[in-house]
Amino acid sequence: MIMGLDECTIKSFQKLVLEESKCLPGPNSSACSICLSEYLSQETIKCIPECKHCFHAECIDEWPRLNDKCPVCINSATPVHADYVNP
């Protein structure tokens, strides 16, 4: 069974609009790993909180609903919060 993330968690992913420099946080290339298109200025991207891999917002929006792992590094896409207590 495939386990995805809840909508609140998905909405918490960092979202930003690229400026002319197209500078991305984290270990990212100049292209989206899902659609393989280069990032352009003024495009909206989302970053997975734990690994900082970024994608076009429209490309990554469906992925975490179906899978709780980053499509690039396969690490958990679930944000780790300091106040979270494992039951």
Side-chain angles (χ1 to χ4, degrees), residues 28-58:
N28 291 286
S29 68
S30 61
C32 175
S33 298
I34 295 175
C35 72
L36 305 178
S37 295
E38 287 208 22
Y39 295 116
L40 302 173
S41 61
Q42 301 307 308
E43 285 187 310
T44 301
I45 62 163
K46 284 187 178 179
C47 301
I48 293 180
E50 296 310 305
C51 61
K52 301 295 185 210
H53 284 118
C54 297
F55 310 90
H56 288 117
E58 62 273 9

Side-chain angles (χ1 to χ4, degrees), residues 5-78:
L5 302 176
D6 62 82
E7 287 300 314
C8 275
T9 301
I10 295 168
K11 287 180 181 182
S12 75
F13 287 5
Q14 180 186 11
K15 188 178 189 179
L16 52 109
V17 176
L18 288 179
E19 296 180 7
E20 289 296 320
S21 68
K22 296 184 250 175
C23 185
L24 298 168
N28 291 286
S29 68
S30 61
C32 175
S33 298
I34 295 175
C35 72
L36 305 178
S37 295
E38 287 208 22
Y39 295 116
L40 302 173
S41 61
Q42 301 307 308
E43 285 187 310
T44 301
I45 62 163
K46 284 187 178 179
C47 301
I48 293 180
E50 296 310 305
C51 61
K52 301 295 185 210
H53 284 118
C54 297
F55 310 90
H56 288 117
E58 62 273 9
C59 292
I60 194 63
D61 277 346
E62 190 60 30
W63 178 269
R65 289 183 183 101
L66 303 172
N67 195 314
D68 66 350
K69 307 280 187 229
C70 171
V72 173
C73 66
I74 319 293
N75 286 321
S76 176
T78 305

